Amino acid sequence: MRLEVETPDVLVDVTHLSFDRIDESDDGGLRIGAGVRNSDLAADRRVRTRYPALAEALLAGASGQLRNLATTGGNLLQRTRCAYFQDVTKPCNKRDPGSGCPAREGEHRNLAVIGHSQHCVATHPSDLAVALAAFDAIVRVVGPAGEREIPLVDFHRLPGDTPQHDTVLERDELIVAVDLPALAVAANSRYRKVRERASFSFALVSVAAALDVAEGEIRDVRIAFGGLAHKPWRAYEAEEVLRGSAADAAAFTRAADAELKQAEPLRDNGYKVELARNTLVRTLLELAG
Ligand SMILES: Cc1cc2nc3c(=O)[nH]c(=O)nc-3n(C[C@H](O)[C@H](O)[C@H](O)COP(=O)(O)OP(=O)(O)OC[C@H]3O[C@@H](n4cnc5c(N)ncnc54)[C@H](O)[C@@H]3O)c2cc1C
Ligand code: SF4
């Protein structure tokens, strides 16, 4: 709003609504209220022990002051950091549909390599969303028609020809909570974020990964990338390659290549593909011990 990207006539303050709790759910998972602050979520003992990559993702985002204010719902709905989107003197299909996408031929070093379209090549900036995508989280929303549940992997959209819509949330819907299912593999998880400086910077590439290895064989695995696409990118192809395979560098590299073969880098961001491969392999090697 300060940049005048949004100029609403009316603002509704939802911060006083009573959805600021983290509760145990019946299935052994956690229900995170949409108003839970990023700092409180990262500090929660249950999150740190049962879903450590989630705490790491939160602590890799923004700054201490921002995390003290940022909420679970708000963080998922933050908009892209594409420089053209934030500059109201420039055309941008996301801000002004039909006006064009100058980033495709212009400055796109930090933008998408997977799932982009002619109309938009932006990335989604949330770190929290990447860890939630890896852990099969569900977004609970309420609207005039009642409640509905949206898997986090389906909550954010690819741009297609309507990049103005970041998510499938309808205009009159409110996020009330995010459900984390009980997930044993998540206890051995990590979030690794590569950025241009050590703090207060968005991901060039990030990886949330969880691994369960028994007698050298992978029993379960979860992987999601950040910084590559218009949405958190769940790496289903890589997971498929890894289930039942050896837990070694060769398998991790094969898995990364299987996922990243769909990448279509732009003129200046091909480095992200190699960065994503190396970041995933290194994260999985750490998790494999
Ligand atoms: C300088 C800077 C650096 C940052 N770095 C990072 C980073 O590295 N990684 C990262 O992940 N994030 C980063 N952030 C984002 C930050 O952590 C906040 O999450 C983000 O700014 C959104 O703020 P908020 O959570 O207070 O949401 P708000 O600004 O209050 O809301 C954002 C949007 O969500 C809507 N909204 C909020 N709650 C709900 C709800 N319950 N239901 C429906 N709609 C809702 C609002 O209407 C608004 O449109 C950064 C932010 C800044 C300013
Ligand atoms: S990449 Fe998307 S957000 Fe950036 S200028 Fe193009 S349309 Fe706008």
Side-chain angles (χ1 to χ4, degrees):
M1 280 190 289
R2 281 204 306 264
L3 298 170
E4 297 186 0
V5 172
E6 297 277 2
T7 53
D9 296 325
V10 176
L11 279 177
V12 179
D13 182 3
V14 296
T15 55
H16 61 285
L17 296 178
S18 56
F19 47 31
D20 56 355
R21 292 171 52 94
I22 306 170
D23 292 317
E24 294 284 342
S25 48
D26 294 341
D27 71 350
L30 292 178
R31 174 160 295 175
I32 304 161
V36 172
R37 307 286 176 180
N38 286 183
S39 298
D40 294 333
L41 188 56
D44 188 278
R45 187 176 295 277
R46 295 162 296 182
V47 172
R48 293 164 68 101
T49 54
R50 284 148 60 177
Y51 311 91
L54 183 60
E56 290 175 4
L58 287 160
L59 294 175
S63 66
Q65 294 93 332
L66 284 164
R67 292 193 297 269
N68 286 341
L69 276 182
T71 61
T72 304
N75 186 275
L76 296 182
L77 290 172
Q78 64 181 299
R79 315 270 341 248
T80 183
R81 310 300 288 198
C82 173
Y84 301 100
F85 174 76
Q86 297 191 324
D87 179 350
V88 294
T89 67
K90 301 285 193 306
C92 166
N93 284 330
K94 187 178 277 300
R95 180 169 30 75
D96 182 12
S99 62
C101 174
R104 265 201 91 81
E105 300 303 325
E107 177 51 56
H108 55 234
R109 213 183 148 267
N110 293 349
L111 301 185
V113 293
I114 292 184
H116 50 74
S117 74
Q118 285 298 324
H119 304 280
C120 181
V121 295
T123 48
H124 195 270
S126 167
D127 291 296
L128 168 64
V130 180
L132 292 176
F135 295 157
D136 300 319
I138 304 284
V139 183
R140 302 182 71 83
V141 310
V142 167
E147 276 196 41
R148 64 181 180 126
E149 299 179 356
I150 308 166
L152 190 117
V153 289
D154 300 327
F155 184 73
H156 298 93
R157 300 176 64 253
L158 291 179
D161 57 6
T162 51
Q164 67 272 26
H165 301 303
D166 293 342
T167 70
V168 299
L169 195 70
E170 300 291 342
R171 287 178 65 86
D172 48 10
E173 286 181 319
L174 192 67
I175 303 176
V176 288
V178 174
D179 286 346
L180 272 176
L183 191 65
V185 67
N188 185 38
S189 65
R190 282 225 60 184
Y191 187 75
R192 181 180 283 272
K193 175 175 176 180
V194 184
R195 46 192 156 173
E196 284 176 330
R197 54 184 182 198
S199 77
F200 211 45
S201 188
F202 292 89
L204 298 173
V205 166
S206 67
V207 169
L211 195 65
D212 177 13
V213 180
E215 293 167 12
E217 189 177 292
I218 297 170
R219 287 197 303 200
D220 201 2
V221 58
R222 295 289 190 286
I223 301 166
F225 285 108
L228 297 188
H230 199 257
K231 59 186 284 185
W233 192 263
R234 178 73 179 267
Y236 289 114
E237 302 251 355
E239 292 177 9
E240 185 65 31
V241 169
L242 289 175
R243 277 198 191 91
S245 92
D248 58 24
F252 298 155
T253 307
R254 260 199 324 277
D257 287 340
E259 189 67 43
L260 295 167
K261 69 176 186 299
Q262 44 193 323
E264 294 180 304
L266 306 167
R267 185 194 61 225
D268 294 334
N269 66 1
Y271 76 96
K272 279 197 174 191
V273 180
E274 192 175 347
L275 191 57
R277 179 191 300 115
N278 293 345
T279 308
L280 177 59
V281 172
R282 182 149 170 207
T283 307
L284 292 173
L285 281 171
E286 278 178 15
L287 287 170

